[in-house]
Amino acid sequence: MADSFPCDCCGICCETLIRLDVYNDLDDGTGHCRYYDRISHLCTIYEHRPEKCNVMASYKYYKDQISLEDYIAINVQGCNLMKSTVYKGLHRVTV
């Protein structure tokens, strides 16, 4: 059973904020998070990032409705879907 989200720090979630209103406060106007470093593809405030950006911290809002294992699986599936729309082969496509 998985007990943590297997983030590979690709940064895709930080590049696609334009699609989700809940992240409007973090959008730099281009759909990228204002704390996202476009060179390293890492969050510049990772250790202090908002709770909504932390899959595991957000689980507390869903724990009465879904198991941790299923919650992680759903988030992995969403992550993979985002990657499949941004990556074409091995080449990163600008969103």
Side-chain angles (χ1 to χ4, degrees):
M1 177 170 118
D3 61 355
S4 65
F5 180 72
C7 180
D8 63 6
C9 299
C10 71
I12 299 287
C13 56
C14 303
E15 296 176 353
T16 56
L17 300 185
I18 200 164
R19 298 177 183 151
L20 300 167
D21 289 341
V22 70
Y23 296 106
N24 283 345
D25 60 320
L26 300 175
D27 190 335
D28 69 0
T30 69
H32 288 77
C33 178
R34 60 186 167 142
Y35 300 111
Y36 177 66
D37 183 318
R38 295 180 193 210
I39 295 171
S40 69
H41 301 286
L42 298 174
C43 177
T44 61
I45 61 164
Y46 186 80
E47 294 301 320
H48 306 285
R49 69 194 182 278
E51 189 174 63
K52 63 186 169 186
C53 298
N54 184 327
V55 172
M56 296 309 294
S58 297
Y59 176 63
K60 68 183 176 187
Y61 300 108
Y62 304 95
K63 68 180 182 176
D64 293 334
Q65 296 126 17
I66 188 170
S67 71
L68 178 58
E69 185 174 3
D70 288 344
Y71 174 77
I72 291 170
I74 289 168
N75 278 277
V76 167
Q77 184 178 26
C79 178
N80 289 334
L81 180 61
M82 279 194 290
K83 287 178 183 180
S84 73
T85 62
V86 175
Y87 284 111
K88 302 295 181 197
L90 298 177
H91 303 283
R92 193 178 195 110
V93 177
T94 303
V95 175

